[in-house]
Structure formats: C-alpha cells, structure tokens
Amino acid sequence: EKYIYIDDCCYKGNGKIKEIILPSGCRIIGKEAFASCQLRKPVVFPQTVKEIKESAFSENHSLREVTFPASLEILGDYSYKGCTALKKVAFETSSECRRIPECCFHSCTQLSKVVFPEHLKSIGRRAFYRCKELKEITLPDTLEEIDKKAFFCCKELTKVVIPESVRKIGAEAFHGIAKLEVIEIRHDPEEIGEDIVNKPVRIRCYQGSKVDAYCQEHGYTVEYIEKQ
C-alpha cells in the first residue's frame, strides 16, 4: 500500500504478467510501465489514480477492457496503442479527464465501444486511428476539438454528428471511412482542416454557412438542413 507511483518501464516487456493488482493509494502509472505485458484481466484502478503516462499499457495484445476511474486527470500519448484485443473503453461518470491524447487507442483494431468522459474537451490526433470495429460513438457536447486523423480509418462508422461545441475539426479527422455516408455539422467551427471526410460522403449543414462554403470549395456533396 505504500507505493503511489509505478515507475517508468517498471514491468515493460514482461510477457509472463497476466494480471496486476494496484495498491490502493496509487496515483501515477509511469511511461511504458506495463508495455508489452500480456494482461488478460481488466486492471482495477483505485480512485486515487491521477495520471497514466505515455505508452503505459501499449502493445498488450490480450487486454480486452479498460475502465478509467473518476479520479483520472491525465491520460498519456500512446497509452493503449496497439492493444489489438481491446473491445471496450469507458470513463466513469464525473471523470476528471478532459483530453483523449495523441494515438491513445491507435490500432486497437477490435475496439467497438467507447464511453467518453462527460466533460471531454479534445480528442488528439490519431487517437482512434485504425479502430476498425468502432461502429457507434456519442461525442459529448463539451467537446471543443477533434484533431488531425482522430478517427482515420474507423471503417464501420456510417454517420457522424458533430456537437455544436466543437471549434476545430482537424485535417482528415474522419477520412478513410468507406462506410461513412453522412456527417452533420449544424454550426460553423472556427477551423476545418483539409479532407475531413472522403469525397463520396455527404455533408449536412445550413445553406450559406461557413461549412457550406467549405463544401463548395472542396467539392463535397451538400445536404441542406432546414432552419427552424
């Protein structure tokens, strides 16, 4: 119980570790602390954990589920990258986490369900890159930024509705999604990057809006929303 910090690279590459039990007062999981272990059971995080550092659980090919405690504030880049068996990710209600960082769930090819923190502010670049089984997501209305290639190649998504709180949509944010049919944007974000979706995707927006002008400039098919 005296351990509050699992140090950087502490158990990195130890393929014999199938399960971990964290001490009740643990606050920080260090960089690559459990990278390339083969955890089979979900890690139970105590309600004291504040930070999971870069690549802490990356390349765990047997880990199937993760639930982050409400106490978690910082999730590091690449922290679950390449966890190819991971199917469900959930943040507890009232989670302190505000950002899904760069490449956090990159190449989690079996990931099919994500429950986002209710006060989420941003999704970093390539956060869900190549999450090919992700069929449905609900973005919270606190979200302000979707970074470059955040959902690139999430092949099972068919429709995306952007919350009106989003100020920035990065380049290729929803590109490479063959099944995506429509993306709906009911407001004018401050910044819209290049090629946010594939060309066949219909963009639903208000006529005369900034999004409409973006579609005309880049050759996207537009569906206009009736103003109420």
Side-chain angles (χ1 to χ4, degrees):
E1 294 184 0
K2 63 183 179 180
Y3 294 105
I4 62 171
Y5 190 149
I6 309 300
D7 204 2
D8 296 352
C9 301
C10 190
Y11 298 101
K12 180 181 179 181
N14 191 331
K16 295 181 180 180
I17 295 179
K18 310 300 182 186
E19 179 183 8
I20 61 173
I21 300 171
L22 294 170
S24 59
C26 186
R27 294 172 60 85
I28 298 172
I29 311 296
K31 293 180 180 179
E32 299 183 275
F34 297 99
S36 299
C37 294
Q38 297 310 321
L39 305 177
R40 297 186 181 280
K41 294 186 178 182
V43 179
V44 178
F45 294 103
Q47 290 292 341
T48 52
V49 171
K50 298 291 185 183
E51 181 176 4
I52 297 172
K53 289 184 177 287
E54 180 180 329
S55 301
F57 293 93
S58 63
E59 305 297 335
N60 268 273
H61 301 300
S62 299
L63 186 64
R64 294 178 178 274
E65 183 177 333
V66 59
T67 300
F68 298 111
S71 60
L72 183 69
E73 296 176 1
I74 301 172
L75 192 55
D77 297 346
Y78 304 89
S79 48
Y80 286 83
K81 181 180 182 290
C83 291
T84 52
L86 189 63
K87 292 186 175 183
K88 180 183 177 181
V89 169
F91 290 80
E92 287 186 4
T93 304
S94 302
S95 172
E96 295 294 327
C97 189
R98 301 290 187 267
R99 174 173 172 77
I100 308 296
E102 180 174 343
C103 296
C104 186
F105 300 103
H106 187 301
S107 297
C108 291
T109 51
Q110 295 298 313
L111 184 60
S112 60
K113 183 174 183 180
V114 179
V115 179
F116 289 104
E118 60 182 14
H119 301 297
L120 185 66
K121 293 292 185 183
S122 66
I123 297 175
R125 64 175 59 194
R126 295 181 172 87
F128 294 93
Y129 189 102
R130 292 188 70 244
C131 291
K132 298 187 290 186
E133 293 299 316
L134 198 58
K135 296 179 174 66
E136 182 178 344
I137 54 173
T138 301
L139 299 173
D141 58 12
T142 55
L143 187 64
E144 296 179 359
E145 180 179 348
I146 302 171
D147 212 336
K148 182 178 181 180
K149 293 188 176 181
F151 294 93
F152 190 93
C153 215
C154 290
K155 294 183 177 182
E156 294 298 320
L157 290 176
T158 58
K159 180 182 178 182
V160 172
V161 179
I162 303 294
E164 294 186 18
S165 56
V166 172
R167 297 183 292 104
K168 175 186 175 182
I169 305 173
E172 300 181 280
F174 296 92
H175 203 271
I177 306 176
K179 292 186 179 181
L180 187 61
E181 297 175 357
V182 62
I183 182 169
E184 187 171 300
I185 310 174
R186 289 178 169 265
H187 68 298
D188 280 337
E190 295 172 12
E191 183 179 337
I192 307 175
E194 296 284 334
D195 300 320
I196 58 170
V197 292
N198 291 12
K199 278 296 188 289
V201 177
R202 306 188 309 278
I203 297 182
R204 195 172 289 164
C205 64
Y206 291 114
Q207 189 171 11
S209 65
K210 180 180 177 180
V211 177
D212 185 14
Y214 171 90
C215 293
Q216 304 304 328
E217 179 182 352
H218 295 277
Y220 285 107
T221 301
V222 184
E223 284 186 0
Y224 291 126
I225 302 167
E226 291 187 12
K227 293 184 178 181
Q228 299 179 348

